[in-house]
Amino acid sequence: MRNVAAARYTRRMLLIAAVYVAGIVLASMVIDPGAPLGLLGIGLALIPGAAMLAAIGAIGRFVAELPDEYLRMLEVRKIIVATGVTLAITSVWGLLELYSDSLPRLPVFYVFPIWCAGLFVGQLVNRFAFGGDDTGGCP
């Protein structure tokens, strides 16, 4: 059986990922890191930011569109695990930064990629800790 929600999600995320990558590349080519950020720079920097917001919205929409409550539960569990992983990493690293001058700073830019990696951890938790089989086409 084909999961229509997963197919829609995949199409949305492919478009969002393309906008995100294009925004990062364009901003990196145009914006001079040493110069003050003008209106053009702000606008270009907001393109990948808007794509991140769209990705979060697409994930929420995917969960809402899933017709199967078991698959929906697996996705929600992945999101909860990803949020916990992100909070743990950023909070612990932030405390280490607070009390050490020798550690490199973690740019806020990395919070969303850490959360996305946490979705993978959540999928592993579903599969191995709870025996969940998310073969319904879920991302």
Side-chain angles (χ1 to χ4, degrees):
M1 183 172 126
R2 184 169 174 256
N3 188 331
V4 177
R8 286 185 197 138
Y9 170 81
T10 301
R11 282 193 305 271
R12 286 181 197 124
M13 288 304 279
L14 286 173
L15 177 63
I16 291 167
V19 170
Y20 177 79
V21 170
I24 292 287
V25 169
L26 184 62
S28 298
M29 289 174 29
V30 173
I31 299 172
D32 178 11
L37 197 59
L39 286 179
L40 176 64
I42 291 171
L44 290 174
L46 289 177
I47 293 171
M52 279 191 239
L53 294 176
I56 293 167
I59 290 168
R61 188 168 180 183
F62 172 66
V63 171
E65 288 178 349
L66 274 172
D68 185 287
E69 63 189 40
Y70 175 70
L71 292 177
R72 199 171 324 133
M73 183 269 305
L74 291 176
E75 290 304 311
V76 169
R77 185 185 293 150
K78 279 179 15 182
I79 292 167
I80 291 169
V81 169
T83 302
V85 165
T86 303
L87 290 171
I89 290 171
T90 57
S91 296
V92 170
W93 193 264
L95 286 168
L96 292 172
E97 282 182 7
L98 186 64
Y99 297 113
S100 173
D101 290 333
S102 62
L103 283 176
R105 301 297 182 225
L106 179 67
V108 175
F109 170 82
Y110 291 110
V111 172
F112 186 70
I114 290 169
W115 186 78
C116 290
L119 289 173
F120 175 71
V121 174
Q123 186 165 347
L124 294 176
V125 167
N126 276 343
R127 184 159 294 151
F128 296 112
F130 293 100
D133 181 18
D134 60 355
T135 57
C138 300

